[in-house]
Amino acid sequence: AIKDDHTLPSVFSLSQNYPNPFNPSTTINYSLPKEGNVKLTIYNAIGSRIATIINEFKPAGNYSVQFNGSKLASGIYLYRLESGNYSAVRKFILMK
């Protein structure tokens, strides 16, 4: 993950991935206004966990992470960011 030290974010945010739809990989950006444990999880359309991309302590900052869906079937997936009391979910589409 890439950390950008220039400006610390003031709020938690989880951006829409790009490109979307994607094949086979996509980029997910997120921001943390304060340090804490961060969990980024991928789910399928019926809510089963497919993968946990990140599950570790992170300092405050802006981050970018790659997700490779080459082993997954085409379809709609969800990604969820959790840190402290913050939680957000976005939908993304894998098209092969």
Side-chain angles (χ1 to χ4, degrees):
I2 301 160
K3 186 167 185 292
D4 174 5
D5 276 317
H6 301 304
T7 56
L8 285 177
S10 57
V11 295
F12 285 100
S13 70
L14 177 61
S15 301
Q16 185 64 48
N17 65 299
Y18 64 89
N20 186 36
F22 67 99
N23 179 32
S25 66
T26 187
T27 300
I28 298 169
N29 293 318
Y30 64 94
S31 299
L32 307 173
K34 60 183 182 182
E35 65 184 20
N37 200 59
V38 175
K39 196 168 179 184
L40 184 61
T41 314
I42 308 295
Y43 297 91
N44 65 16
I46 59 170
S48 299
R49 190 175 75 223
I50 301 294
T52 299
I53 304 178
I54 299 166
N55 188 7
E56 62 189 53
F57 188 87
K58 297 271 193 192
N62 299 302
Y63 293 90
S64 178
V65 63
Q66 296 287 318
F67 174 68
N68 187 314
S70 60
K71 293 183 174 77
L72 300 176
S74 295
I76 296 171
Y77 293 87
L78 304 169
Y79 57 100
R80 181 179 186 195
L81 180 73
E82 297 169 87
S83 184
N85 294 326
Y86 176 79
S87 175
V89 177
R90 301 275 182 272
K91 182 167 68 173
F92 59 173
I93 300 168
L94 173 60
M95 288 181 83
K96 294 186 172 179

